[in-house]
């Protein structure tokens, strides 16, 4: 395995997974989760495996392309059993693992049991959605009440300070060394979002974090080399 990339946070995790999968499709790639995901569609993966055995997963990953695998739970996939996960780690060149959930909100805070990072994680992408700007934290931040001040004032508007607070909390919740994490302020679709994202990224860069501001649905060429650079 060349890399196990965990994707956490909110505001574009699935888009990031799709972008990375397309850029890595010349390799053998396992697209999966430790929590819940909507399985990848035919445009994004060569093959989808529902509750595969270890042998089935190894066989599917024996040639290049993206294989989406998990255990069906309604319309979503949940995590693979340990033995099947281990087979995927042995067979895949790259693993893309969504390790967080945000109920489709652009920002989130974490319970003590979140995110669910694989022990094999080599790189972690933490996504934060700039579409939260100006919205009340109570409507834009999943689990906002874990922040005492926001629990008392859910009408607090999201600004640069709130973006930075969510970014710092996400990094702390991951428990990973800082050098393994990249912070992506996504959804910079207009001038206001771009400016706020740059302000947040600059503030966090002064604290030693590696940050980027982007709109993945417009351009993703930077994502893979930036994420994998040492």
């Amino acid at each position: 395995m060349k890399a196990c990339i965990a994707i956490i946070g909110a505001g574009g995790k699935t888009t990031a997974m799709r972008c990375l999968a397309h850029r890595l499709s010349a390799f053998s790639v396992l697209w999966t989760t430790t929590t819940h995901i909507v399985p990848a569609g035919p445009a994004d993966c060569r093959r989808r495996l529902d509750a595969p055995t270890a042998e089935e997963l190894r066989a599917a990953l024996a040639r290049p392309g993206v294989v989406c695998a998990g255990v069906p739970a309604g319309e979503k996939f949940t995590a693979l059993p340990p033995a099947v996960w281990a087979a995927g780690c042995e067979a895949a060149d790259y693993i893309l693992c969504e390790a967080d959930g945000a109920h489709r909100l652009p920002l989130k805070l974490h319970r003590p049991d979140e995110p669910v990072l694989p022990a094999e994680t080599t790189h972690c992408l933490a996504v934060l959605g700039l579409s939260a700007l100006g919205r009340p934290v109570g409507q834009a931040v999943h689990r906002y009440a874990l922040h005492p001040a926001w629990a008392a004032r859910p009408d607090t508007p999201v600004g640069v300070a709130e973006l930075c607070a969510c970014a710092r909390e996400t990094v702390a919740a991951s428990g990973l060394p800082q050098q393994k994490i990249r912070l992506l302020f996504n959804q910079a679709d207009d001038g206001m979002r771009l400016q706020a994202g740059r302000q947040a990224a600059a503030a966090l860069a002064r604290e030693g974090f590696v940050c980027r501001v982007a709109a993945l649905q417009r351009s993703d060429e930077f994502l893979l080399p930036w994420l994998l650079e040492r």
Side-chain angles (χ1 to χ4, degrees), residues 7-52:
I7 303 176
I8 63 175
K13 292 195 306 294
T14 300
T15 300
M17 290 271 284
R18 184 177 295 117
C19 293
L20 291 169
H22 281 227
R23 297 286 174 181
L24 290 168
S25 59
F27 298 92
S28 171
V29 179
L30 172 59
W31 173 323
T32 191
T33 184
T34 53
T35 55
H36 295 83
I37 55 167
V38 176
D44 297 316
C45 70
R46 173 174 60 78
R47 189 170 178 191
R48 168 179 158 172
L49 294 177
D50 297 13

Side-chain angles (χ1 to χ4, degrees), residues 151-191:
R153 289 294 306 272
D155 58 342
T156 301
V158 174
V160 172
E162 288 69 32
L163 289 173
C164 290
C166 287
R168 294 186 190 100
E169 189 275 349
T170 297
V171 173
S174 76
L176 292 173
Q178 192 167 308
Q179 64 268 24
K180 283 191 175 184
I181 302 175
R182 299 288 184 267
L183 291 171
L184 178 65
F185 291 95
N186 188 37
Q187 303 172 336
D189 300 313
D190 58 38

Side-chain angles (χ1 to χ4, degrees), residues 15 186 188-190 214-221:
T15 300
N186 188 37
D189 300 313
D190 58 38
L216 284 180
Q217 292 190 343
R218 294 182 181 178
S219 176
D220 69 3
E221 293 88 352

Side-chain angles (χ1 to χ4, degrees), residues 107 128 130 133 158-168 183-185 192-207 209-213:
L107 295 172
L128 300 105
L130 293 169
L133 285 166
V158 174
V160 172
E162 288 69 32
L163 289 173
C164 290
C166 287
R168 294 186 190 100
L183 291 171
L184 178 65
F185 291 95
M192 181 197 75
R193 293 182 185 180
L194 181 61
Q195 181 179 12
R198 285 175 172 171
Q199 289 174 353
L204 292 164
R206 289 192 290 271
E207 300 173 23
F209 296 103
V210 180
C211 308
R212 189 86 181 225
V213 183

